[in-house]
Every structure is written in C-alpha cells, then in structure tokens.
Amino acid sequence: MGSSRKPSDGDGPAGETVGEIAYRRLRADILFGRLAPAEKLRLDRVSRTYGTSVSTMRELLNRLGSEGLIVAEGQRGFEVAPVSPDDFREVAAMRQLLECHAIEQSFAAGDLDWEGRVVAAHHKLSVMEGRMIAGDRADPQTWKRCDWEFHHALISACGSRVLLQMHGAIYDKYLRYQMIAVIFRGEVAAREHQRLLQCALARDAATAQGVLVTHIQSCVEHALAGDTTAWFKERSGPGPRDDARGGIHGRSAAPARD
Amino acid sequence: MGSSRKPSDGDGPAGETVGEIAYRRLRADILFGRLAPAEKLRLDRVSRTYGTSVSTMRELLNRLGSEGLIVAEGQRGFEVAPVSPDDFREVAAMRQLLECHAIEQSFAAGDLDWEGRVVAAHHKLSVMEGRMIAGDRADPQTWKRCDWEFHHALISACGSRVLLQMHGAIYDKYLRYQMIAVIFRGEVAAREHQRLLQCALARDAATAQGVLVTHIQSCVEHALAGDTTAWFKERSGPGPRDDARGGIHGRSAAPARD
DNA sequence: CATATGATGTTTCTCGAAAAATCAGATTGA
DNA sequence: TCAATCTGATTTTTCGAGAAACATCATATG
C-alpha cells in the first residue's frame, strides 16, 4: 500500500516506534515457530528479550491476543496460542472458504494491472521454489513471503478490503502451522502454483478453486500424517479461549456512562 | 485508583480487572454509535472518561485497533474507525459468506441440544421483537443481543471455533452499522427470523441461506437508502488502514534475535 | 494419610511522570 | 503575498515502581 517509507530503510524503518519493531519481531517469532506453542510468556522476561518495558510489552501482547496468536487468561498472564490438529483443520477450511470466494471475485474483476501483479508474483515465487527444490533451504522467510505475495496477488482484485484483511489474518495462522510442521512439498506445490497462474490468466475461477482446495487439503493431510504428538505440550485441548470478549457477545454490555 | 473494588459492583463480573471493564464499555460505546465514527480519541481525555490511566487505556485502544474498531495512525494517536457505504457493503457481504457457510455445516451436524438452543433463542428474540414493534424502544442493547444469540445459535453446531470467532467479529461490525443507521425493520425482520427457525428445524440449509441473504441485503439497502452523507465527517474514504501490520505481509520479517 | 489453612515469594496489573514527537501559530526573508 | 523556519504548547510514547492477585510450600488438623 502506498504509505510513504523512507528511501533507505533496511530493517527497522527509521521513524518507527520501539513498540512497532518489537511487535513485528514477536509476531514473526510466533509465526515461524521460534516461540513454542503454549509457551508461557512472563512479562519481565519477554520484555527484556525484545528490549522494551513491561508496559509496552503488555500493549503488544494484548494486540496479538486480539489477533488470536496469544491467549491471555484472566490475570494469570499470557502464553503463545496453543496448536491442535482440529484447529489446523479449521484454519485450513477457513482459508479455503475465503480464498475461493476471493478468487471468484478477483478473477471476474481483475484488470491488466492485476494480471501484471500475478505474473510478477508468480515469477518470484517460481524462482524461490526452484532454489528450495535444489536444496537451498536457507531462507524460509522470503520463500514464504513470495508464497504469500502470489496468493495475495491472485485475490488482490476482489474489491473488498474486509475480505483481504480477514484472509491475511487467517493466512498467517495457516502459515504458522506450515512452519511448525516443517512442510516441504516443493515440486507438487510448485506445479499447483503454475496451474493457478494459468487459471488466473484464463479467468477460470472454477478450476482455480479446485486446484486451491487440493493445494490446501493435501498440505493439511501431509502435515497431519506426521507425528502430531510432538505439537502438544501436556494438554493443549480447546483450552480457555477468548471467552472474555467484550461487546454484545460475552455478557450484557455495560451502560454508557458511569 | 488503588482502592479495592466494592463487593457489590453491579457493573462487571466480580473479580474482573479495571481494564476489562473499561474495554467492554469502550467497545460497546463504539458499537452502539455513542462514539462517532472517525472521532479523535485523545489519550488523556478518554482514559479519564473510562476511569483508567493512559497506559491501561493504550492497551485497550491497541486491542480494539487490532479488531478494526479503532485506527491508530503512526504516532499521531487513535480514532474511532471511520464508516463508509463501501465498507458497510463489504462487511455485509462478509457476514453473508461466513454465515451461509456456517449454516450449511450447522444444519447438517446439529443435534437435539442444538435444536433446543435455536428454539429458545428464537423465543426470546421473538418476545423482544414484539416489544420493539409495539413501540417500546427503550433497550436496543438487549434486543440486539437477542438477535445475536439467535443467529449464533443457528450456526453454533458448525463445528469450527475459528469460523464462529470470525463470524462474531464481523457480526459486531455489521451491528455497528445497524446502530448508526438506526434501523427498525420490525415486522419484516421478525418474519425472516421466523422463517429461519422453520428452515433450521427442517434442516433446509439452502432455503435458509436464501432467507439470510435477503435478510442482510435488504437491511443494507434500507440503510443506504437514507441519508448516508451524515455518516461522513469530512473525508473518511479508505483512509490509512492498518498498513503497519507485522508478520509476513507488511515487509520482510525481522531476524529472530538482535 | 488426606485435606484445609496460612505465610511467603513471584507475577501481573495499574498508575503517574519523564522523554520524544507532533501540531499550531508567529516570525522572517524573498 | 507566499513559503519556509522557528518556537511554544499539546499529545503521544516509553518507562519503572507500587499495589493487587496468584502460586507455592510448609504446617496444622480431622
């Protein structure tokens, strides 16, 4: 998106707040599995790890909690969101639903610029996949970013910000499972991406949806076929989810004024 | 405010934190239109209004920002999320997508307990709607909560926590537009709810989806038929949304350690 | 032996102030 | 007159400490 960034910003954008930087790092650490699922996050420790005060860290933790990447139970602290096969399946099904719908809209409305974005993103992804297949597994982050950019480009003409935003959120959770399960399906996935590209240029949404369903489902099955017991620390069942939501749902909304 | 909480503090649940109470109140104030869209929220003022310190308020504001109910631009403060006809349409379309899908799953899997929940929720909603139609518009909060509980009951057997959570989030945004536009479609909406109940008991998902689409779409059109220009304060266009998201999307994720 | 009770240490939650940044108005120069 | 810069005031961001809540463990009691 067209926000003005400083021309020379390598890692941390120049005029960015401390909290924002720590937020990105913490978020990436959860997504890429460097923080174990269900791991307890003690304020004092993590805030020192990421170079902020506890107050600032609490902001980030609350933010990530509201995204579902961290669970905050009452006044007993925070921990990394747990994982489970069921949750993985649900996340995958949700991604399927959103992305299939978005493909339909996007394929119908995409203009020439859109085609350009799709082709460009696929090229970059294709190159990265070639490297990964060749054995160069040094940088899964940029590889996965290319994967994201391709899938995002496909649906970028869907015309709904809300849809894109929700898809982004669920994609990230899906990505987390991919990184935890350490999935390489190089050749197969690359071929599916190739077919998605062809469908996009032919505006064939129906076929693309079929390919995408396979793309996601086979990934889930491949991941769950492995040793899923290693995912759990003790018992990570349904657990105490965000039951304390405000607004209308949780309980009767409080009166307006005090 | 170090004083202990009164045992009979009729507002929130007994052992609830100050932040949690303020969060619910602030969230409800946004959802029910008591805080105008695009209204600037100065830390000092709102924190005093809701009885917390600025640090605590920042937590809540960040949390609501991550839910999309508040926008936080750079280090220029927070404001209530803006509204626009386009956004309303997108939110409605998203609710339609999620709720139709959930209905299909739920109608197929619902057991007798589910039927009981649906019937009970519809009864309560029906009574409230009767009062509203009769002219008793004192308490839109409980009325809308009954609406929520009915729609939630319908899809409660869909089997996916992720789906239910996302639906809850989008329902709240939809609700906000309903409250802003001040929509009363008493008789029509009540009849549609009646038909939804019948479809649920007959397990007729296809018809229910059709009713729901009408239910949502006609509401959108009814709302947008009015004077939408009053919604905007100055220019509330697409505006600077959450461009600064972390993780994979925004930019290259930062390396793990420093 | 199992359970209830109480003291102690640890962690979270809340607060107010210092530091950094933004904004509005005034001043200066072309 | 217009643009640019500077200054003062307001607002946001960050921090560390105190108060409340929780967890742990030892002790007492049936």
Side-chain angles (χ1 to χ4, degrees), chain B residues 1 17-19 52-53 55 76:
Chain B
M1 225 57 87
T17 66
V18 173
T52 73
S53 66
S55 315
R76 262 174 288 177

Side-chain angles (χ1 to χ4, degrees), chain B residues 69-86:
Chain B
L69 261 34
I70 278 184
V71 291
E73 26 181 339
Q75 45 232 99
R76 262 174 288 177
F78 303 85
E79 56 188 60
V80 180
V83 295
S84 72
D86 276 344

